[in-house]
Amino acid sequence: MAETKTVDFWFDPACPWAWMTSRWILEAAKYRDLDIRWNVMSLYVLNEPRLDELPEQYAEMMPKTRAAVRVAAAVAEQYDNETLGRLYTALGNQIHLAGEKDSAVYIPAALENAGLPAELAAVGKTEEYDEAVRVSHGRGIGLVGTDVGTPVVAVENDEGEKVGLFGPVVTPAPQGEAAAKLWDGVYAVTTTPGFYELKRTRTKGPDFSNLTAD
């Protein structure tokens, strides 16, 4: 029997690429023995030192991403990993599949769909979990450096050390055995000593056409 591999996955709910990757890793887990652990990171925290350098539309968007991250951090602290994953799925269904961009709408809807108390939405307007966000974000970004984004995927190598990479960035999310084959490749490169990067310019935007709301 194959050994269960623990996969740490860092996400910001606002990132369509991260959500696409999350749908892939969940699909791959149907074919490979994977234990997925969800972790919060923040595009706002990542870009905070260079907000003045970002294009105007991105600089204006960054603060708007904070509410969902804060709510996710609260769920991570108050509940379990499965519940956090369920909330992330519900947030992605609202933001990326339904196209809802108003956090005052998509957070309550996601909480309801995930079976969580509506009162948690209020966390998004406070700084109560900001330190928890920064700590979780720091764990993920500490594995890959600050010149990448979300998602971050991390596994243990043969020496028992946690190693991570940004990505994979893929569209649409692979299905079936294709998802499993991509996992095999991602695991191989992530755990190869000295491996850092494979990349090509993206020519397509996020394609959610093969996904449906869970």
Side-chain angles (χ1 to χ4, degrees), residues 123-146:
V123 170
K125 301 176 182 178
T126 75
E127 299 179 358
E128 181 179 358
Y129 286 91
D130 283 6
E131 182 59 26
V133 168
R134 291 182 184 277
V135 169
S136 179
H137 176 93
R139 286 198 303 268
I141 217 68
L143 296 171
V144 294
T146 58

Side-chain angles (χ1 to χ4, degrees), residues 41-81:
M41 64 181 296
S42 168
L43 288 171
Y44 177 85
V45 172
L46 182 67
N47 288 283
E48 195 173 21
R50 51 183 179 268
L51 285 177
D52 293 342
E53 303 169 12
L54 295 177
E56 184 178 354
Q57 68 180 95
Y58 291 107
E60 291 179 352
M61 180 190 73
M62 286 301 149
K64 298 176 183 178
T65 66
R66 303 185 76 182
V69 173
R70 288 164 166 169
V71 172
V75 169
E77 183 171 307
Q78 297 180 30
Y79 295 88
D80 56 16
N81 183 67

Side-chain angles (χ1 to χ4, degrees), residues 91 94-95 100-112 121:
L91 285 166
Q94 290 293 317
I95 299 168
E100 180 56 63
K101 302 306 180 186
D102 184 351
S103 62
V105 176
Y106 66 69
I107 290 176
L111 288 170
E112 180 178 2

Side-chain angles (χ1 to χ4, degrees), residues 72-212:
V75 169
E77 183 171 307
Q78 297 180 30
Y79 295 88
D80 56 16
N81 183 67
E82 187 276 332
T83 305
L84 178 58
R86 193 167 70 246
L87 175 65
Y88 183 32
T89 290
L91 285 166
N93 288 340
Q94 290 293 317
I95 299 168
H96 306 302
L97 292 192
E100 180 56 63
K101 302 306 180 186
D102 184 351
S103 62
V105 176
Y106 66 69
I107 290 176
L111 288 170
E112 180 178 2
N113 290 338
L116 289 163
E119 293 77 14
L120 280 168
V123 170
K125 301 176 182 178
T126 75
E127 299 179 358
E128 181 179 358
Y129 286 91
D130 283 6
E131 182 59 26
V133 168
R134 291 182 184 277
V135 169
S136 179
H137 176 93
R139 286 198 303 268
I141 217 68
L143 296 171
V144 294
T146 58
D147 58 344
V148 298
T150 170
V152 170
V153 173
V155 296
E156 285 190 356
N157 62 18
D158 291 340
E159 287 69 47
E161 301 168 324
K162 187 173 291 187
V163 289
L165 288 175
F166 161 65
V169 176
V170 59
T171 186
Q175 303 284 305
E177 187 60 29
K181 287 175 63 177
L182 178 57
W183 160 256
D184 294 340
V186 168
Y187 180 79
V189 298
T190 304
T191 56
T192 296
F195 178 85
Y196 289 100
E197 186 173 16
L198 283 172
K199 191 170 184 178
R200 60 180 169 182
T201 300
R202 290 198 301 262
T203 58
K204 297 180 180 179
D207 179 358
F208 301 114
S209 60
N210 68 338
L211 300 175
T212 57

